Amino acid sequence: MLLMLAATGSLRGEQDLRTPLIVTVVANLVNAALNIEFVYGLGWGIRGSALGTTVATWASATWLVGIVVVRARHAGARVSPHPAGVLTAVRDAVPLFARTVTLRLALLLPVLLAARLGDAPLAAHQIATAVVTVIAYALDALAIAGQGRGRARSLPAWCHRSGKAVAT
């Protein structure tokens, strides 16, 4: 999954949003077909589902990384990591790492509290979280599309207004 995220980020940096979309759709179709075959056709149950998902994920990661490597070589960029660049990236990533850890804790603590209250509050929390996540992904997708179209300045304001409207 990390390979897919890194490759998708690289392609987004090139303003190529279509390639990750195509790879994701194909990977999900392959995943569904493999899961049906492994779970029902071969009767492997949950192991078949895990295997189908693993195969589809690795195939899509390989496909995306291959595209990035071919484009990097075509542009004359180095494909192997440079030690100084890796150290710089690690140093620059410390604030992002701290943000991610605190965000995960902020998402985990309400789940723990809802779980202590019982099944119904936990289910309600899960539904609310799912709704907010879908809205966040939709707004993020609009922001990404706007950046790709050169509308990066006007789109965040629209997303902010939309977010406030949905929240109320």
Side-chain angles (χ1 to χ4, degrees):
M1 196 67 174
L2 182 60
L3 290 173
M4 289 173 40
L5 291 172
T8 299
S10 175
L11 293 169
R12 279 177 54 189
E14 295 178 15
Q15 302 297 321
D16 180 3
L17 306 176
R18 181 170 285 132
T19 301
L21 175 65
I22 291 169
V23 172
T24 300
V25 169
V26 170
N28 282 300
L29 292 173
V30 168
N31 186 20
L34 288 175
N35 285 346
I36 290 169
E37 176 60 28
F38 292 164
V39 172
Y40 298 111
L42 299 175
W44 291 352
I46 193 71
R47 287 187 178 119
S49 177
L51 180 62
T53 301
T54 301
V55 168
T57 301
W58 274 106
S60 61
T62 304
W63 188 5
L64 282 172
V65 169
I67 291 169
V68 170
V69 168
V70 166
R71 289 185 182 180
R73 286 188 177 151
H74 181 69
R78 292 177 49 171
V79 179
S80 60
H82 188 268
V86 171
L87 288 175
T88 301
V90 167
R91 187 187 70 238
D92 292 345
V94 169
L96 181 61
F97 178 75
R99 182 197 70 92
T100 301
V101 168
T102 56
L103 180 61
R104 291 293 181 187
L105 287 173
L107 294 172
L108 178 64
L109 291 176
V111 173
L112 294 174
L113 293 174
R116 285 185 167 197
L117 295 175
D119 291 342
L122 181 60
H125 179 270
Q126 181 59 34
I127 291 168
T129 301
V131 169
V132 169
T133 301
V134 167
I135 293 168
Y137 282 149
L139 292 175
D140 192 37
L142 287 172
I144 291 167
Q147 290 169 358
R149 298 279 185 207
R151 298 184 195 121
R153 291 198 177 120
S154 63
L155 199 58
W158 182 86
C159 289
H160 181 70
R161 287 191 307 273
S162 298
K164 284 172 51 176
V166 169
T168 54

